[in-house]
Amino acid sequence: MRAALEQAQAQVNGLVLGKAQAVRLAFVALLSDGHLLIEDLPGLGKTTLAHALAAALGLEFQRVQFTSDLLPADVVGVSVFDPQSRQFQFHPGPVFTQVLLADEINRAPPRTQSALLEAMAEHQVTVDGRTHPLPDPFFVIATQNPVDLSGTYPLPDSQLDRFLLRLQLGYPDEAAERDLLSGADRRDLIAQTRPVLSSEDVNAIRRAVDAVYASEQLIAYVQALLARSRKHPGVRVGLSPRAGLALLRASRAYALLLGRAHVVPEDVQALFAAVASHRLVAEADAGPDIAKSILYAVAVD
């Protein structure tokens, strides 16, 4: 299983060039039973990452382009009256998949954004009083452009909290960009990708993540980070206990991907900004690296 997991990461790294840490964090989010928010400019590989991840793991993939006229029913599905049976029949929407790419999620109105809340938190959808379970595993990758904010609806804090990690891809380095420009089309390469894992394997790895050991000292370190965030200069709203659980869960997955059966403080430090930055509510005059300043302010015992 470990060899197959490494091969899956290698496949995705072969499609998303020069972004090994971003690819590892995407695997962390998936194996932690969380969701991923990618904030970056168009054309930097956000869609490629989502599609490549699904292809390498043998998971069903759907993409929804969020727009200002998108309705909740366009995402979760709708009940349609069948005159022959004289009953309403539920027609599932694109959310009924294993990997859902919610592209430019902040361009949809709040009502449509909120259609994902139950799906992300409970792995189910309720339509007309009936609850429909989603496939297992279920993983949302949402994207948004942090620069072009015209005609967008910022995600509320409650929805941001549903994303385990937030990351940026950034521009590729010179060598990776040269390989990208001179290589084959990414869509063709993804179409040729053969999965090395299955949904059953993903769920088995998730169970293995739960078994990764976190010592009392490490839990105390995480708690110290939470406490510091609530009294740190420039922070209006600090991290909640749920953020601490997310940090621990992600750290376990990160340790597993690195071949360890226990979490070390370096795992927490590598993930803290990605877990905390979108959950912190900073003062207007706070710097952009408020999460990093909290991390530097807490010593490791």
Side-chain angles (χ1 to χ4, degrees), residues 88-128:
F88 281 93
Q89 300 292 332
F90 177 66
H91 293 255
V95 75
F96 285 84
T97 189
Q98 293 177 314
V99 177
L100 175 69
L101 174 60
D103 212 358
E104 294 189 290
I105 188 174
N106 58 333
R107 295 204 174 276
R111 184 181 178 189
T112 304
Q113 292 178 11
S114 65
L116 278 178
L117 274 175
E118 182 185 13
M120 294 172 67
E122 308 295 338
H123 291 197
Q124 65 183 28
V125 165
T126 302
V127 178
D128 296 333

Side-chain angles (χ1 to χ4, degrees), residues 14-281:
L15 295 166
V16 185
L17 302 179
K19 300 298 175 185
Q21 181 64 4
V23 168
R24 182 178 292 122
L25 292 183
F27 273 84
V28 165
L30 172 62
L31 298 179
S32 302
D33 195 15
H35 306 286
L36 179 65
L37 177 63
I38 306 177
E39 285 188 348
D40 222 320
L41 301 173
L44 295 182
K46 300 186 293 295
T47 302
T48 301
L49 173 57
H51 205 167
L53 186 70
L57 297 177
L59 302 177
E60 297 176 5
F61 175 80
Q62 290 279 357
R63 174 183 178 180
V64 178
Q65 186 68 45
F66 277 60
T67 58
S68 60
D69 60 348
L70 192 72
L71 299 175
D74 296 328
V75 178
V76 301
V78 64
S79 293
V80 178
F81 185 74
D82 182 4
Q84 292 184 345
S85 64
R86 296 183 176 274
Q87 291 181 337
F88 281 93
Q89 300 292 332
F90 177 66
H91 293 255
V95 75
F96 285 84
T97 189
Q98 293 177 314
V99 177
L100 175 69
L101 174 60
D103 212 358
E104 294 189 290
I105 188 174
N106 58 333
R107 295 204 174 276
R111 184 181 178 189
T112 304
Q113 292 178 11
S114 65
L116 278 178
L117 274 175
E118 182 185 13
M120 294 172 67
E122 308 295 338
H123 291 197
Q124 65 183 28
V125 165
T126 302
V127 178
D128 296 333
R130 295 188 61 184
T131 299
H132 307 273
L134 293 171
D136 187 26
F138 174 68
F139 180 49
V140 174
I141 300 179
T143 72
Q144 57 182 12
N145 183 345
V147 176
D148 183 11
L149 300 179
S150 176
T152 62
Y153 303 84
L155 297 178
D157 293 340
S158 59
Q159 185 142 17
L160 284 172
D161 195 45
R162 303 301 182 193
F163 290 99
L164 181 75
L165 303 176
R166 181 179 69 173
L167 59 86
Q168 297 83 34
L169 294 180
Y171 291 106
D173 59 38
E174 185 177 352
E177 190 170 32
R178 176 66 62 86
D179 290 341
L180 183 64
L181 293 173
S182 59
D185 189 282
R186 298 294 107 178
R187 290 171 294 184
D188 295 337
L189 293 176
I190 290 173
Q192 299 168 12
T193 299
R194 295 294 177 262
V196 295
L197 291 169
S198 65
S199 56
E200 292 78 12
D201 295 330
V202 171
N203 286 329
I205 297 172
R206 283 180 169 181
R207 292 191 292 270
V209 166
D210 293 336
V212 173
Y213 177 70
S215 67
E216 289 297 326
Q217 292 86 347
L218 186 124
I219 293 174
Y221 176 52
V222 171
Q223 190 173 18
L225 289 170
L226 299 180
R228 178 68 190 187
S229 74
R230 297 162 190 165
K231 60 182 180 182
H232 194 73
V235 176
R236 185 156 51 91
V237 179
L239 298 175
S240 68
R242 183 159 59 189
L245 291 172
L247 182 58
L248 277 172
R249 191 165 65 249
S251 298
R252 287 186 168 99
Y254 194 83
L256 181 74
L257 288 172
L258 294 179
R260 281 186 275 101
H262 62 281
V263 184
V264 297
E266 288 78 8
D267 300 326
V268 176
Q269 293 163 357
L271 292 167
F272 183 74
V275 172
S277 61
H278 59 292
R279 292 179 166 93
L280 293 167
V281 179

